[in-house]
Amino acid sequence: MNKSMISYVAALFSLLLVGILFVQLLRLDYGHRLIPTKAHEAREFKTLAGESRELEGEPINIYIHQNEDELSEAILTNFKYALDYAKLPYTSITAAQIEELDPSPHNVLVLSGENTEQWPYETIKQFVEQGGRLYIAGRFIDAKWADLVGVSDFGDFLDGVNGLIFERELFPGYVDLPLDSELFIHWV
């Protein structure tokens, strides 16, 4: 082979390699970062921003009953952190203290866990029927409690099944999407 033919093949190979790299970069998130599809305007939100100011209306009272099981402790510990960050006061109560709650729309009873037999069902039912609010944090499957939590049918829930299996590409064309991509922000 003569020297000009080798130069020609090397140049063609280099051009092909650069073209492939360019297409791969565009195929990923980088093309969308360079050429955004819509303008990103800064939006303003009203927040308390650490200020102490009087809120309007009757305050909400949050009462948390925590079971002695692991699931209840884990969920309600995180729930309490969220309330602390939001600067919302709450009261931890025992199962016996649930009977003393005033059934008002401004009183919320928070429960969590799977040991529902530890909760006073009749007392909580009366609390809800007379206007109190009930919030059950975390996974909850108990047909006895369905009416109280507003569920008509729990469906075909299967316990012990973990994870998701996708039979096709979730985002066609974005096979190698990096973890820091703004195109995919929901980790679930």
Side-chain angles (χ1 to χ4, degrees):
M1 275 190 170
N2 67 24
K3 194 172 184 178
S4 66
M5 183 68 137
I6 293 174
S7 319
Y8 178 73
V9 170
L12 188 60
F13 180 74
S14 299
L15 188 61
L16 183 63
L17 187 61
V18 168
I20 289 173
L21 288 174
F22 181 73
V23 168
Q24 288 297 324
L25 285 176
L26 287 180
R27 202 172 140 234
L28 295 173
D29 186 39
Y30 302 112
H32 297 283
R33 288 184 189 177
L34 293 174
I35 308 167
T37 55
K38 56 182 168 180
H40 296 285
E41 299 176 2
R43 294 186 290 174
E44 291 187 20
F45 298 96
K46 291 184 180 181
T47 63
L48 291 177
E51 300 172 15
S52 289
R53 53 182 157 159
E54 192 68 30
L55 298 176
E56 296 176 11
E58 190 173 332
I60 200 160
N61 303 306
I62 303 170
Y63 299 97
I64 299 175
H65 171 64
Q66 184 171 313
N67 286 355
E68 296 298 321
D69 66 66
E70 225 176 275
L71 180 62
S72 178
E73 288 179 20
I75 290 173
L76 291 178
T77 297
N78 286 333
F79 189 77
K80 289 175 185 177
Y81 279 128
L83 291 174
D84 289 338
Y85 291 139
K87 297 179 179 146
L88 293 172
Y90 61 88
T91 305
S92 295
I93 61 172
T94 64
Q97 291 173 314
I98 293 174
E99 294 179 21
E100 301 168 12
L101 293 179
D102 178 34
S104 159
H106 300 285
N107 291 340
V108 179
L109 174 61
V110 179
L111 305 170
S112 183
E114 294 181 331
N115 296 330
T116 57
E117 65 278 353
Q118 295 178 4
W119 302 336
Y121 176 78
E122 290 302 323
T123 303
I124 295 172
K125 181 178 179 183
Q126 184 178 6
F127 172 76
V128 171
E129 287 175 348
Q130 293 179 358
R133 305 288 186 220
L134 175 64
Y135 176 71
I136 300 188
R139 179 176 75 175
F140 185 77
I141 306 289
D142 190 339
K144 178 180 176 182
W145 291 77
D147 288 341
L148 287 179
V149 296
V151 175
S152 58
D153 183 19
F154 285 108
D156 57 352
F157 177 79
L158 301 173
D159 203 6
V161 176
N162 298 315
L164 298 172
I165 298 172
F166 298 103
E167 294 179 1
R168 297 183 315 194
E169 282 184 43
L170 184 59
F171 297 109
Y174 295 98
V175 179
D176 301 321
L177 199 63
L179 293 177
D180 63 343
S181 171
E182 293 179 8
L183 293 177
F184 187 68
I185 57 171
H186 197 294
W187 287 90
V188 174

